[in-house]
Amino acid sequence: MISNKQLTALAVTTALAAMPLSAIAQAMDATAMEARMLQLEQEMQQMRAELQQYQQRESANAAASPAPSASALDATRVVPAAAPAAPVATLPNAMPGTKFSFGGFIKLDSMYTRTSDGEIADGSAGRLFYFPGATPVAADGNGRSASYTDVHAQFSRFWFGADTTTDNGDKLKAYIEADMYGGGSNAFAGNEVITNTYALTLRQAYVSWNNWLAGQTWSNFQDVAALPDTVDFTGPSEGTIFSRQAQLRYTRGAWSFSAENPQTTITPFAGKGARFNSGADTVPDLTARWSTRGDWGHFTAAALLRSFRYDGDTETGAALSVSGRFNMGANDDLRYMVSGGSGVGRYLGFALGSDTVLDEHGRLHAMDGYGGFAAWRHAFTPKLRGNLVYSVAVLDNDAALTGYEVTEKAQSVRANLIYSPFPKLDLGVELSHATRRIENGEEGDMNRLHTHVKYNF
């Protein structure tokens, strides 16, 4: 804002600069000086009037355009989810009041693996993380040990979220998440010879409206919050319910219900370990979940109901799962999961067993399976923690139908130490031992030293 003194000084300076030398000489005369001062005062009053008019116009414009509301400001403000989120530019088509966030992590995995009875195929899932069905087996004395080192960053991931609360109080959320796993095969993206290029993988993509959710995310039959703190991607894989798939879910209080994408895995009659998928299912997989939590931890019970269909024949299956975490003081907790039932195959242990088997007449029969894990976590210091984990799965095969080349049992034990020099940086080392046995008695084991560097952002 220009003050009156500044206006006067400006007017005087301007006037003097514009005067010719003769006028300056005349200014020495008192009468001429007095006349000139009167002229300058008139010019100053005129400038003051023009300034007041300008201020009045600005005030009128401000009144016509109200200040941005809090909801409008929220549209450009980044709101963190579980962790501080990086800034995201405002999207032009977003609803008013939408809050954007994004995050993820960079993860480098380095593994030295030794198997007792054969080699895990290069580039396959078992070389990237613990995949129970990939542990090679052989009859006593017929196997040959193999060892190899793998280093990759495929499990690095990122996510993007948008959250909106409408004027009516409705809550809308959109979420999408991806990593570079690419299904475990880089055949179409690159190779380890030169580029180490990997394909993008869709992990989650869903939208929710108040109590409803539609899209792809973790199965409602799975308790993600119970998973142990491991260096490996999943750790106790054989005893874990693990599935991400498209679904429609409704949540109210402690209860949630879902209808999820159906897919049937089938072992042919006397198929010698072969397996194929049926795309003929018409009824979605149905789940129900109840959970409770408090300072002591959390507990969850879930049920699964399935309908299988192939070549005109149908079968049903059902399974239960209980899981949770129990806090044992400030530095210790126990995490667990126990699951089992009929037709649970593709949900348990990365599809360690099949959902169904065909008999000699082509009829479907649901197969039983059971599994679980227990994990103890201890914090030695605020920066150093460790975990001890045991996991097992047992499949109740009808060998007369499946043959004797299918997995009967798989189990693993692992111990790790994870050091966090900074809150978002993890340096981990993990030792694991796993075994797998098939129905004919052949078995094998795998030992792995696994390290990682993981930075969350």
Side-chain angles (χ1 to χ4, degrees):
M1 181 70 66
I2 302 175
S3 66
N4 291 340
K5 290 182 179 180
Q6 290 173 322
L7 284 172
T8 302
L10 177 61
V12 171
T13 302
T14 304
L16 289 174
M19 291 173 63
L21 291 178
S22 59
I24 296 176
Q26 293 174 2
M28 301 301 296
D29 181 78
T31 303
M33 178 67 73
E34 183 178 351
R36 187 59 180 166
M37 290 299 297
L38 179 61
Q39 179 183 355
L40 290 175
E41 183 178 353
Q42 291 173 349
E43 292 177 355
M44 183 183 69
Q45 290 176 352
Q46 182 180 358
M47 294 177 66
R48 185 183 296 115
E50 292 177 354
L51 178 61
Q52 290 176 348
Q53 291 176 1
Y54 173 78
Q55 292 174 338
Q56 290 172 357
R57 286 197 303 270
E58 289 298 306
S59 298
N61 292 336
S65 302
S69 63
S71 61
L73 291 174
D74 283 343
T76 61
R77 185 180 301 131
V78 176
V79 178
V88 179
T90 302
L91 299 182
N93 297 324
M95 292 180 60
T98 300
K99 303 176 182 179
F100 299 100
S101 57
F102 79 84
F105 59 75
I106 304 298
K107 187 174 190 283
L108 175 70
D109 290 284
S110 304
M111 295 159 287
Y112 171 78
T113 305
R114 184 175 180 83
T115 47
S116 63
D117 292 274
E119 182 177 350
I120 302 175
D122 185 24
S124 66
R127 292 283 288 264
L128 306 178
F129 60 96
Y130 175 50
F131 197 88
T135 303
V137 300
D140 289 344
N142 292 340
R144 187 177 65 178
S145 65
S147 58
Y148 22 81
T149 296
D150 296 284
V151 182
H152 68 90
Q154 295 186 51
F155 295 132
S156 302
R157 74 178 63 156
F158 60 90
W159 56 263
F160 181 85
D163 295 84
T164 306
T165 301
T166 68
D167 294 338
N168 296 328
D170 291 314
K171 296 184 181 299
L172 298 172
K173 179 181 181 63
Y175 183 86
I176 188 166
E177 181 182 86
D179 63 18
M180 271 53 72
Y181 174 42
S185 173
N186 58 1
F188 299 103
N191 57 64
E192 296 182 46
V193 177
I194 301 173
T195 60
N196 284 270
T197 306
Y198 303 102
L200 191 70
T201 307
L202 177 66
R203 290 173 53 84
Q204 302 187 67
Y206 64 84
V207 60
S208 64
W209 173 38
N210 295 334
N211 298 334
W212 291 93
L213 179 148
Q216 176 167 306
T217 187
W218 298 105
S219 171
N220 191 48
F221 190 54
Q222 178 181 354
D223 182 9
V224 180
L227 293 178
D229 186 12
T230 59
V231 173
D232 186 85
F233 177 58
T234 54
S237 305
E238 59 274 273
T240 301
I241 296 296
F242 191 99
S243 178
R244 290 189 305 268
Q245 57 194 8
Q247 60 192 269
L248 179 66
R249 183 188 300 183
Y250 178 77
T251 302
R252 187 174 183 86
W255 288 93
S256 58
F257 306 88
S258 70
E260 306 187 8
N261 179 61
Q263 181 78 345
T264 300
T265 58
I266 303 173
T267 294
F269 174 65
K272 295 184 178 181
R275 189 185 303 181
F276 65 94
N277 299 331
S278 169
D281 299 293
T282 57
V283 179
D285 291 355
L286 303 177
T287 78
R289 169 178 295 279
W290 179 83
S291 61
T292 182
R293 63 184 63 248
D295 294 339
W296 50 270
H298 84 273
F299 173 79
T300 291
L304 171 68
L305 180 63
R306 307 185 66 190
S307 176
F308 309 115
R309 184 170 177 264
Y310 174 71
D311 197 22
D313 193 49
T314 60
E315 173 68 303
T316 59
L320 296 174
S321 179
V322 295
S323 57
R325 183 182 70 191
F326 180 69
N327 297 326
M328 303 181 297
N331 298 322
D332 297 86
D333 67 56
L334 179 66
R335 309 179 190 199
Y336 60 91
M337 181 180 291
V338 179
S339 311
S342 176
V344 73
R346 77 176 180 89
Y347 284 87
L348 180 65
F350 288 160
L352 182 62
S354 181
D355 296 325
T356 61
V357 61
L358 293 173
D359 64 18
E360 62 271 29
H361 303 293
R363 291 191 295 265
L364 283 173
H365 298 269
M367 297 173 61
D368 296 340
Y370 311 91
F373 68 77
W376 170 48
R377 180 181 184 273
H378 174 71
F380 298 95
T381 72
K383 294 184 177 183
L384 180 64
R385 62 191 186 273
N387 297 267
L388 183 62
V389 186
Y390 173 72
S391 178
V392 63
V394 178
L395 304 177
D396 187 12
N397 303 299
D398 185 348
L401 300 180
T402 63
Y404 290 87
E405 292 81 11
V406 294
T407 300
E408 176 191 4
K409 181 180 181 180
Q411 59 184 336
S412 66
V413 60
R414 66 191 62 246
N416 66 45
L417 289 173
I418 302 174
Y419 176 65
S420 301
F422 307 104
K424 297 297 181 179
L425 179 64
D426 289 343
L427 309 175
V429 58
E430 183 170 278
L431 286 171
S432 61
H433 174 74
T435 62
R436 184 170 76 99
R437 184 175 69 243
I438 63 177
E439 287 288 349
N440 65 5
E442 295 181 1
E443 58 184 352
D445 62 66
M446 182 194 75
N447 296 287
R448 175 170 286 171
L449 171 63
H450 192 158
T451 66
H452 79 170
V453 177
K454 181 180 178 182
Y455 176 68
N456 293 275
F457 58 87

